[in-house]
Amino acid sequence: MEALLITLIVIAALCIIAIVLLQPGKSEGLSGSITGGAEQLFGKQKARGLDKFLHRTTIICAIVFFVAAFILGFYY
């Protein structure tokens, strides 16, 4: 059981790293936040297509990672 949880944590961590690197940047850096990045932040732009898929997959992998880490820490 312990080996299964450790394997699950490693796979989830690698998936999170890969998925986060595939996601496009959402900001223009410091200059964009000072000179009008608030329009993008408070605008009604929803993620569509690949961005939405990557966002949801990141959330699912993070949940799997934290649940497996919690179970591993609690029982072992």
Side-chain angles (χ1 to χ4, degrees), residues 9-27:
I9 288 172
V10 169
I11 291 172
L14 292 175
C15 287
I16 290 171
I17 292 169
I19 293 168
V20 167
L21 289 175
L22 286 173
Q23 292 179 3
K26 301 236 188 306
S27 68

Side-chain angles (χ1 to χ4, degrees), residues 17-74:
I17 292 169
I19 293 168
V20 167
L21 289 175
L22 286 173
Q23 292 179 3
K26 301 236 188 306
S27 68
E28 299 174 9
L30 184 60
S31 64
S33 65
I34 293 173
T35 62
E39 292 176 13
Q40 215 176 22
L41 179 64
F42 297 113
K44 294 187 177 185
Q45 295 181 354
K46 292 189 177 183
R48 301 198 187 271
L50 183 62
D51 291 337
K52 187 175 184 180
F53 173 75
L54 291 174
H55 179 71
R56 286 187 179 176
T57 308
T58 304
I59 292 172
I60 291 169
C61 288
I63 290 171
V64 169
F65 178 84
F66 283 113
V67 168
F70 180 74
I71 292 171
L72 185 67
F74 186 71

Side-chain angles (χ1 to χ4, degrees), residues 1-9 68 72 75-76:
M1 182 71 172
E2 184 178 358
L4 175 69
L5 288 172
I6 291 173
T7 304
L8 190 62
I9 288 172
L72 185 67
Y75 285 116
Y76 297 104

